[in-house]
Amino acid sequence: MQVDRAAGDAGAFGDGRHGHGGGAPALGWLVAARVSQGGFAGILFALIPLIAMRAVRPEMAGRASALIMTLGPLGAVSGPALGGIIVGAWGWPWIFYLNLPIGALVIVIALVQMRPDGPLGAPDRTLLFETAVLGVAAAALLLGLSLSAGHGLPWLALTATAVGPLAIWWRSASSHAVRALMRTPGVAAPVSLVLLNAVTISLVEFMASFYLQRILGVSAATAGTTVLAFAVGNVVAGPIGGFLGDRWSASRTARAGVLITAVGTSLLVPLGTDWHPADVGWRLAIAGIGTGVFAGPNFALVMSNAPDALGGTAGAAQSLARQLGFSLGPALATTAWALSGYRLGGMRAGMAVAAACVLIGLLLRTRTGTVPAGRPADLGGDAPARPTRNEPADR
């Protein structure tokens, strides 16, 4: 998905040799296909955390979580480069064709390796109602954020129309599982941290790219390479964070990761006109290292503290928080920048917003983190860990 997302737009505006006509009907099919792809991707994002926690021993939860949280940035790093090569050599349709054998391989692995839980049931009226209400709210929120970034701040008012559908859903029986999850000690704070961390990541990367090109005057290629320092730091530190979460303490490791991210982000606030791309790169690398250390242990904390019956809801909550944060970050960056008349001061204000988000996260991580009685306070050290579904309780 990273590859086709990175190169799809480039291919759509490529030369006619690789394009396909069709006008509005073709566009309609494309939109329907992408909506379907996004819907099934949302299901996968919700299930992957639960599958990962059940597939490994409890004492390896941090490393398993770190692996998942590391592969995402790795795809973001490799996707644009690989997608560009494929588009240049074969044309943009191959971005999508290559997904077919990869998807088939994943299906085979799932059928062979995963134990079936039972047949799927047809969606009932409650699920259809929930899908419709949340779909309207999500469309209003994301459209408002997207249009405000490209067409002006007044479009942010569209996001307010998401409040009504969300209020209806929150008062309905459909939200019972989410409300129960958020009331579980040790869950709400880590999920909030996922949101704040995603806001910080997307805001910093968005603003750094414009700063490098508009203020320092470097090429797009140089700006892209510099911004990748964040992802490289994330990928390198992810396994370390997972190991420390298992051997030391998931809670303390997540707290350390937030602190490192706060340091790296704060160092970016005083953007200067005389900086070199390297001055931006090493600061981004520090923030990326902090995020890498934080992500896996925090992920494991949510899944460990969530009740067994709400494992899927916990995975979905993390995914939703992350995707919402990735949408909010550029919108906040654009707002701060626009209010200054698109000057350097607005970029500094945007970086300050990112630093504030991660500092709020540090406060949450420091002052919360209790878990229910009978559950491990941490996933590391000598704390007793509850067994996974695939592991006997007396092991």
Side-chain angles (χ1 to χ4, degrees):
M1 288 183 63
Q2 295 288 354
V3 173
D4 68 354
R5 186 186 308 164
D9 289 340
F13 296 98
D15 57 51
R17 294 178 302 146
H18 305 298
H20 296 281
L27 179 61
W29 280 109
L30 178 60
V31 171
R34 295 297 278 178
V35 169
S36 176
Q37 183 183 26
F40 284 104
I43 295 174
L44 288 176
F45 290 156
L47 293 178
I48 285 173
L50 182 61
I51 294 171
M53 293 298 99
R54 292 182 176 182
V56 300
R57 297 174 182 271
E59 62 269 21
M60 297 183 66
R63 278 164 283 184
S65 302
L67 178 62
I68 293 172
M69 301 305 292
T70 299
L71 290 177
L74 183 60
V77 171
S78 60
L82 182 59
I85 294 172
I86 294 172
V87 169
W90 301 331
W92 68 264
W94 279 95
I95 294 297
F96 302 97
Y97 297 155
L98 286 176
N99 283 330
L100 297 178
I102 295 173
L105 178 61
V106 171
I107 291 173
V108 171
I109 293 174
L111 292 175
V112 172
Q113 296 290 330
M114 295 181 63
R115 183 178 62 189
D117 291 332
L120 290 174
D124 56 17
R125 292 183 178 179
T126 300
L127 182 58
L128 294 175
F129 166 79
E130 183 178 26
T131 301
V133 172
L134 292 181
V136 171
L141 178 62
L142 296 179
L143 278 175
L145 294 175
S146 299
L147 293 173
S148 66
H151 301 283
L153 297 180
W155 282 101
L156 277 176
L158 182 61
T159 61
T161 60
V163 174
L166 285 175
I168 294 173
W169 172 76
W170 189 255
R171 293 175 177 273
S172 70
S174 302
S175 66
H176 172 75
V178 176
R179 286 184 277 123
L181 178 69
M182 291 297 104
R183 287 196 298 265
T184 302
V187 171
V191 171
S192 300
L193 277 170
V194 172
L195 172 64
L196 291 169
N197 184 254
V199 170
T200 301
I201 293 171
S202 56
L203 193 158
V204 166
E205 291 190 333
F206 178 89
M207 193 59 75
S209 179
F210 280 98
Y211 164 76
L212 288 163
Q213 295 180 73
R214 299 285 183 88
I215 304 300
L216 300 188
V218 303
S219 65
T222 300
T225 302
T226 303
V227 171
L228 284 181
F230 184 98
V232 171
N234 195 344
V235 169
V236 170
I240 298 174
F243 177 82
L244 290 175
D246 288 335
R247 296 300 181 90
W248 180 40
S249 161
S251 181
R252 288 191 289 270
T253 302
R255 188 181 303 122
V258 175
L259 178 60
I260 296 170
T261 305
V263 170
T265 307
S266 298
L267 289 171
L268 285 164
V269 174
L271 297 170
T273 55
D274 57 345
W275 281 19
H276 187 273
D279 297 319
V280 180
W282 68 262
R283 289 170 168 86
L284 287 173
I286 292 175
I289 289 171
T291 297
V293 171
F294 154 82
N298 189 76
F299 178 105
L301 279 172
V302 175
M303 300 307 299
S304 174
N305 294 337
D308 288 334
L310 297 177
T313 303
Q318 291 196 80
S319 175
L320 176 61
R322 185 176 302 107
Q323 300 305 318
L324 181 59
F326 286 149
S327 298
L328 285 171
L332 291 174
T334 302
T335 300
W337 193 18
L339 289 174
S340 73
Y342 297 98
R343 297 186 177 91
L344 178 59
M347 292 184 172
R348 290 170 177 159
M351 291 298 188
V353 171
C357 288
V358 76
L359 289 173
I360 292 172
L362 180 62
L363 181 64
L364 283 175
R365 183 67 267 164
T366 301
R367 304 188 65 172
T368 61
T370 58
V371 296
R375 295 193 188 277
D378 282 305
L379 298 179
D382 298 326
R386 59 177 176 160
T388 62
R389 182 168 295 184
N390 293 333
E391 183 179 27
D394 59 352
R395 179 169 244 160

